[in-house]
Amino acid sequence: MTYIVTEPCVDILDKACIEECPVDCIYEGGRMMYINPDECVDCGACEPVCPVEAIFFEEDVPEEHSGYIAANYEFFAEIGSPGGASKIGRTEFDPPLVKTRPVRA
């Protein structure tokens, strides 16, 4: 289990979660943030600082955002596990669920 970033983060990319993460496991895609399930220590520090309430423990993701669980795993299937988000910085990759969403103004 890990924490999952969901739809409210798309096109927001606030990054308060990155500042709070003690293990550097929150990666920036083209349109949203992603939490690496292999690097996350389930501390929950990211969840309360998210200004749009987009972060949930995997088993608590609301049904309407359940597709973001698979999207999170797809993101890391593509980029792998680099061992820290700061090592690679922002990527332009997003899974199809995120990439095809209408852009928020």
Side-chain angles (χ1 to χ4, degrees):
M1 293 288 175
T2 189
Y3 282 84
I4 302 290
V5 181
T6 62
E7 188 274 331
C9 182
V10 176
D11 296 326
I12 300 297
L13 298 165
D14 175 77
K15 301 181 191 169
C17 54
I18 290 175
E19 307 285 326
E20 256 345 276
C21 181
V23 294
D24 194 28
C25 72
I26 304 174
Y27 291 72
E28 185 175 357
R31 296 183 63 196
M32 69 176 278
M33 312 306 287
Y34 301 88
I35 299 173
N36 189 311
D38 295 328
E39 298 170 10
C40 180
V41 294
D42 299 332
C43 71
C46 58
E47 184 181 18
V49 299
C50 179
V52 293
E53 300 178 352
I55 302 173
F56 298 90
F57 193 62
E58 186 172 346
E59 64 186 24
D60 297 330
V61 171
E63 182 62 36
E64 66 267 21
H65 298 306
S66 63
Y68 287 86
I69 297 170
N72 189 76
Y73 286 99
E74 288 172 42
F75 180 82
F76 292 103
E78 176 69 23
I79 71 159
S81 189
S86 60
K87 289 181 180 179
I88 66 167
R90 181 181 179 166
T91 69
E92 290 303 316
F93 177 74
D94 285 303
L97 174 69
V98 176
K99 190 179 289 192
T100 60
R101 288 200 51 77
V103 175
R104 274 185 231 240

